Amino acid sequence: MHSYTKAESRERGKLFRQGFRQSFADCVDPDIKRRIERIDQAAAERGALEMAALHEVRAKARQDLAAAKAVERTAPRADKPAARETRKHAEQRVRLAERAVHKAERS
């Protein structure tokens, strides 16, 4: 996964267009390739960090859901509705976290 900043996207696009024009003359400047690779490497590192953080969030959400289910199962009758709501909120957080991870893995 790559995570480009807006400035990196603009710079990479500009460099790509310059390289594309130069390729018609078969004299592509190697500095352009190096700068594009440097931008890609920085974006890949940032993307890997963001993906790891998303996986951590998903793992924590799953742990919280397991704890909420255990509390709901062991709650006395008077506390069941509150425990059920807590479990539902935990399930929603898990769904959101899994959706974010899935979306990031696709791109």
Side-chain angles (χ1 to χ4, degrees):
M1 177 178 138
H2 289 77
S3 179
Y4 295 99
T5 63
K6 288 185 180 188
E8 286 175 339
S9 293
R10 282 191 305 270
E11 179 70 16
R12 190 178 189 287
K14 185 180 90 171
L15 292 170
F16 178 80
R17 287 187 295 279
Q18 285 177 353
F20 184 73
R21 279 184 298 230
Q22 289 178 3
S23 69
F24 286 120
D26 283 336
C27 61
V28 178
D29 186 8
D31 184 49
I32 291 176
K33 289 181 179 180
R34 278 194 303 273
R35 289 170 59 190
I36 288 175
E37 288 172 1
R38 195 175 321 126
I39 290 170
D40 288 344
Q41 183 180 5
E45 290 172 3
R46 191 177 312 107
L49 290 174
E50 289 177 10
M51 185 62 74
L54 283 172
H55 283 289
E56 288 176 23
V57 168
R58 181 178 64 178
K60 184 174 180 341
R62 285 179 177 173
Q63 289 174 352
D64 292 345
L65 175 59
K69 283 182 177 181
V71 168
E72 182 183 9
R73 288 184 184 124
T74 59
R77 182 182 282 278
D79 296 337
K80 286 266 188 201
R84 187 176 302 116
E85 284 301 313
T86 302
R87 176 190 48 85
K88 287 181 181 181
H89 288 298
E91 287 174 344
Q92 180 65 24
R93 285 191 301 272
V94 168
R95 279 192 296 274
L96 290 173
E98 287 178 347
R99 191 175 303 138
V101 169
H102 181 68
K103 184 178 177 181
E105 287 175 344
R106 281 188 315 201
S107 62

